[in-house]
Amino acid sequence: MNDFWVKHCGISHTGSFKDLGMTVLVSQVNRLRKLKRPVFGVGCASTGDTSAALSAYCAAAGIPSIVFLPANKISTAQLVQPISNGALVLSIDTDFDGCMKLIREVTSELPIYLANSLNSLRLEGQKTAAIEILQQFDWEVPDWVIVPGGNLGNIYAFYKGFKMCQELGLVNRIPRLVCAQAANANPLYLYYKSGWKEFKPLKANTTFASAIQIGDPVSIDRAVFALRNSNGIVEEATEEELMDAMALADSTGMFICPHTGVALTALIKLRNSGVIGSDDRTVVVSTAHGLKFTQSKTDYHSGDIPGMGRFANPPVLVKADFGSVMDVLKDFLLSKKK
């Protein structure tokens, strides 16, 4: 590809694109509390990154935060963020969809403000990434924008940002959007493949792209609206494909999350099938920093994941003597000459 870009949304305060929406939402909650509205705190269900963003901005504003997390289904780096920021962390024996159901029930009974992407304030913040892309291209519209999708608020937020710029006359068209899902959690992909005939929630299977391990996304209708109005496409990535894509990207100097690996896999498939042309300006949205997912990267490169490791680069164990080190270095230099 001659015009390929990665929009890295993980270089932010808590390391994911969720900061964009959460700063808007918590600012509005802060305002409501100052107006003496009955809002005790803010709560969310999370696959990791939402809880990190919520707890950080609530801590800065002095607002109590409550997060519902699926037990043993998020990375340690993600778990430690809300704990460090003083949130009440409930580790619940269910998946994200179960946490989402519970938080909706709780917030309907208690003065706790719901902070999931069901809330449109989040999307108002997240749409700024689309505006940034246009601004960074000097208001030239890319042909494609590929976004990983789980709860599906972000694909709609990108559509909303691009559409707003078109309506303001800043650009004369919007990009075609691609939503990329993990094959182990792909209800939108199956809906798309059925010709949008019938949406069927499913039980999401375990995926390394844990933040999009969601089988019953709350923003399904908004996502379909965005895709239909942007002539969009939905693609999927298997576990091996997404991990290989992540490792391949890292080998170029990036350090991306598995979810970005899902989006890159979608790009590879659409490029190989000729849907995306070699000269099409294409942007893959990287949603979180790779440092949040070091365990899966370590397991990939050390060969601890059965059937994976096409681009693995494990450390070489060498004896502490000059000859052994020289042998390894000579082999390395010879391999680079080939």
Side-chain angles (χ1 to χ4, degrees), residues 144-165:
W144 299 89
V145 175
I146 305 174
V147 185
N151 220 17
L152 303 181
N154 212 26
I155 189 76
Y156 178 73
F158 271 87
Y159 170 78
K160 193 169 186 182
F162 289 130
K163 193 67 180 174
M164 185 185 80
C165 290

Side-chain angles (χ1 to χ4, degrees), residues 331-338:
D331 289 343
F332 175 75
L333 293 173
L334 283 171
S335 72
K336 292 300 176 184
K337 283 183 178 180
K338 292 176 183 177

